[in-house]
Amino acid sequence: MLDVIRLGFSEPLPGGDRHEEFGLPAGPVDYRAAWALQRELHAEVVAGTRPNTLLLLEHQSVYTAGKLTQDQERPRDGAEVVDIDRGGKITWHGPQQLVGYPLVTLPIPIDVVGFVRDLERTLMGVCSAVGVDTVPVEGRSGVWVMPPDEEARKVCAIGMRVSKRATMHGFALNCANDLSWAQNVIPCGIDDAGVTSLSREAGHRIAVADVIDVAAEAMSELVAHRTSGHPV
């Protein structure tokens, strides 16, 4: 079982969301508030008092830096950065980017790399469902668009942490969000590739509301397989 919690968004979603249940204001969620909630729910998953849980939301505009971020990769204009305990480097979150935080207890033996690879394939399927072809790139996490003879472009970033057998942090899928943030940093520490969005690649607007149901269903299937000991 996966409890899918939709928290806060820049546009109304069919069926609404659960921000009031968790004491949050409407709209995109402040990063620090979401991080605090994520840690709280993670502790409940670890304790066995909560089922595996997926938070789906949009953030207010923010840069976050993983443990491997170097000084020269931070914003060139001195913008605030929230340093966090996930892997990876610097990225941005903001309105019309679908962020997912799976809080999932992994079976023993713990296979973090296998979970991340399955997460990549799952998100590639989400992109395909809205008409955007993507690929994995060996040696680089996330989901990529890579047309022949063109620069690779990341459409979905992934940064995970596992604590006490349960995953934290997760993915950020660019839907219809602003991409100018990438000019202010070295996104994910990668200076020889670009960033993109589903909307840019499709040539028409693909909003968070257009992908969230597909993402929730695909993530539920992934977690069911991973926690049953039969990886996808």
Side-chain angles (χ1 to χ4, degrees):
M1 174 186 171
L2 182 67
D3 183 16
V4 180
I5 300 173
R6 305 179 187 206
L7 275 184
F9 302 90
S10 57
E11 297 175 353
L13 294 181
D17 62 58
R18 296 165 62 182
H19 68 275
E20 291 182 344
E21 179 181 339
F22 295 94
L24 297 171
V29 184
D30 173 78
Y31 187 86
R32 288 181 175 86
W35 192 14
L37 177 60
Q38 185 184 168
R39 293 195 299 267
E40 177 185 331
L41 299 184
H42 178 272
E44 294 176 4
V45 170
V46 169
T49 58
R50 161 173 287 278
N52 289 324
T53 297
L54 172 66
L55 299 179
L56 291 175
L57 61 126
E58 295 174 33
H59 278 302
Q60 297 172 14
S61 184
V62 65
Y63 289 101
T64 67
K67 293 181 288 185
L68 300 179
T69 303
Q70 300 179 26
D71 288 344
Q72 68 269 21
E73 295 163 348
R74 292 172 179 267
R76 298 180 177 95
D77 64 357
E80 181 187 14
V81 177
V82 180
D83 290 278
I84 55 176
D85 57 356
R86 61 163 168 80
K89 297 196 174 187
I90 196 160
T91 192
W92 173 92
H93 300 304
Q96 282 302 314
Q97 179 193 72
L98 178 61
V99 173
Y101 297 129
L103 312 173
V104 176
T105 300
L106 299 179
I108 296 174
I110 296 174
D111 182 6
V112 180
V113 173
F115 184 87
V116 172
R117 296 291 87 83
D118 281 351
L119 180 57
E120 288 174 345
R121 286 189 286 269
T122 296
L123 293 165
M124 287 171 61
V126 173
C127 295
S128 178
V130 292
V132 176
D133 293 329
T134 58
V135 296
V137 173
E138 186 174 356
R140 291 180 170 177
S141 67
V143 176
W144 298 78
V145 175
M146 195 162 57
D149 303 320
E150 293 185 23
E151 176 186 64
R153 304 183 288 271
K154 182 181 280 191
V155 70
C156 183
I158 294 175
M160 302 291 301
R161 179 181 180 226
V162 175
S163 175
K164 299 179 181 178
R165 286 184 53 201
T167 60
M168 297 183 72
H169 302 292
F171 66 86
L173 176 61
N174 294 333
C175 296
N177 52 284
D178 176 30
L179 295 174
S180 64
W181 64 269
Q183 306 304 314
N184 195 31
V185 295
I186 301 178
C188 302
I190 299 171
D191 58 8
D192 61 349
V195 296
T196 190
S197 66
L198 295 176
S199 297
R200 175 172 290 185
E201 296 302 323
H204 61 88
R205 190 172 191 264
I206 298 177
V208 165
D210 298 321
V211 301
I212 192 168
D213 287 343
V214 177
E217 182 177 353
M219 287 297 298
S220 295
E221 293 176 0
L222 166 64
V223 171
H225 281 284
R226 265 286 160 188
T227 55
S228 68
H230 300 290
V232 294

